[in-house]
Amino acid sequence: MAFTIMAIIVGLIYLAILELSKNMIIGWVIGIILIVGFIALRFFLKSKEKNTKGIMTLCWLGFFVLLIVNGIVTGPPEKRVPAVANSNPEVTSVVHVNEGDLTGVYNADKSVKVYAGVPFAAPPVGDLRFKEPQPAESWSGVKACDEFAPMAMQERSNAIYNSLSHILGWHDYEMKIGDEYIEAMSEDCLYLNVFVPEGYEGQNLPVLFYIHGGSLNSGQPSYTEYRGEDLAKQGIIVVNCAYRVGVFGYYAADDLKAESPNGTTGDYGLLDQIAALKWVRDNIASFGGDPNRITIAGESAGSSSVNALCVSPLTGEMFNYAIGESSSIVEYSPYHTFRSYEEALEQGNIVRKEMGVSSSADLRNIPADKLLKNSSKQNAMTIDGYAITEMPYKTYERGANHEKALLNGFNAKEADAFMLAYEATAENYEELLSEHLGSHASEMATLVPANSPQRDQHFIIDSLGDAKGALCQVYSALWFTYSHYVWTKCLVAENVPVYEYYFSKTNNILSNYHAGELQYAYGNLWRHPGLYDEEDYKLSEIMQKYWTNFVKTGDPNGEGLPYWPKVDADNKQLLQLDTEIKTIDDPNEFMYPVIDAYQIEHKIQ
């Protein structure tokens, strides 16, 4: 009996691992056969009344070996993600773009047409690695755009870790048939997706062009939280795109700058975004969109990228408005996603050294998966002299930025998820602050003491421990909210309309952490059944209206919505997005003078 119980426990653990790792169904079948066969073997040997101790030791060893081999051989295959959740979707009529004809697919209720995996540039492989994106190649026949293209090359966690994150973090894990795969990944990644509402034929619809986040070294446009299917139902076209990330997108070297006809290096991912935006300008009319009514939007590193597009001399009149969520690069010395050219070159040196080559040309011969394995930091834009020609703050000081209106803001607990590895105590608290505040750490520690009481009901100082919670509050301001304060202030000085929000709604999933607002603003709460309540859906409807009104007019306000005042010389308040929507003071504003002082001292010229 003890043996049977032990075998069943081992078997159940093994099957759980197969589920979490998304092994193929055949792996389950083989696994169950092995488990049942092993138990049957034990009973067979026992029925012979032989001394089975030594034999069973060997059988256990063989059993574990077979389980391991089965787990490896039947591991999840790579697969492209379907454009819509409904099976056997209806195909759209043919759309003609500059490169050829294509079709998309309808969602379940035929309210939206989705065109996924549309190429906007040539594959950046071979000789095109570390070069500006080249025009997409033409094709013959009709291209079926019914699956998302592979994500850009990036380091990614294994399937088990991803499953556990959805169990312990997102709380939305589901056991189901059909998800036995991992998303395809390739260096050939320059594709975009177009979400078009049905029933608006003949109208020139405004366009939202969305750039995904991921610290410039991860992420993909197929991600469910910002798919444009539901937002498009509000009467706009939504486009999102992939771009090169990590070493493929932000590696810099002088030899590449010398070989480039534009004298550029280090901003290939940003140039991909610009190429995608240009493609939209040239082709969106074929989908019913207005190329003269484009709003760019992004979250986290995507928001930093939006800010870069606002200052790039290459984007000019390519868009009207901008939406930035939880990041920018307009500070005197941005804390992330931006670096000096000298630092970019230093990190590039690390890549060549670790790959054992002397030139960037040699790096083009290294397999993409091997090139990923380096210790350099390749998650920041730089002043390349082409896509970005000066520190972004200088462009704003000259009033040469492009956005004609801005909707931007941040969440209550922006930094908490990034601070999990930090061990904060009253003794090392000031030292941890000094990493990003230098000599001003003591001044900040006075404003936000390690034993500070909970300043706002939405911060989690008490549940994390006083020092850890206080550290999270300060780093939320440093890494995220301060940049929006500066961005807003720049546009107020230019008399450009700017609307700033503070998202603080709690829920059973991401709550008001970094990226927690995305599924509200882009209408994707329904993808997590049972985790959001009526209040969440009500707030999501309002936020979708704000976002789409802004895309249409540059003003989020509209009939039936709580009024969202502009930030200007007479009003500094933000709009709090929560169960109750109201204007409030920036909860982190009391910290900004200290950050200002540090920034002035570390100003990058």
Side-chain angles (χ1 to χ4, degrees), residues 291-311:
N292 297 312
R293 300 174 67 196
I294 296 175
T295 295
I296 58 174
E299 186 269 343
S300 193
S303 184
S304 294
S305 299
V306 164
N307 201 184
L309 295 180
C310 289
V311 300

Side-chain angles (χ1 to χ4, degrees), residues 125-251:
V125 301
D127 289 341
L128 295 185
R129 181 186 284 177
F130 306 137
K131 287 188 177 180
E132 299 92 315
Q134 301 301 304
E137 301 167 353
S138 298
W139 62 82
S140 58
V142 179
K143 181 183 288 291
C145 294
D146 55 1
E147 294 178 323
F148 294 106
M151 68 171 75
M153 290 299 298
Q154 56 195 266
E155 291 281 4
R156 58 178 173 183
S157 57
N158 62 41
I160 291 180
Y161 180 87
N162 184 61
S163 295
L164 289 175
S165 71
H166 280 272
I167 293 173
L168 302 174
W170 289 73
H171 313 300
D172 66 344
Y173 188 83
E174 293 181 278
M175 288 186 63
K176 58 184 180 182
I177 301 295
D179 64 351
E180 302 84 15
Y181 66 92
I182 56 175
E183 185 168 351
M185 181 172 70
S186 173
E187 194 174 357
D188 177 6
C189 62
L190 299 185
Y191 300 82
L192 53 76
N193 312 304
V194 186
F195 302 83
V196 181
E198 180 73 351
Y200 289 84
E201 288 71 14
Q203 300 185 34
N204 292 324
L205 295 178
V207 180
L208 175 69
F209 177 84
Y210 184 86
I211 302 169
H212 71 74
S215 300
L216 299 184
N217 58 21
S218 65
Q220 68 269 23
S222 63
Y223 189 46
T224 54
E225 305 316 293
Y226 43 68
R227 287 190 194 173
E229 187 177 316
D230 274 57
L231 203 62
K233 296 176 185 178
Q234 304 287 337
I236 66 171
I237 291 177
V238 179
V239 180
N240 62 24
C241 71
Y243 56 95
R244 284 171 283 182
V245 297
V247 67
F248 299 95
Y250 298 95
Y251 166 79

Side-chain angles (χ1 to χ4, degrees), residues 16 33 45 51 87 108 169 182 184 216 221 245 254 310 417 420 428 442 462 487 499 525 560:
I33 291 174
L45 293 174
N51 182 1
S87 58
I182 56 175
L216 299 184
V245 297
D254 278 336
C310 289
L420 295 177
N428 71 354
S442 59
D462 290 344
W487 198 355
Y499 303 85
L525 300 187

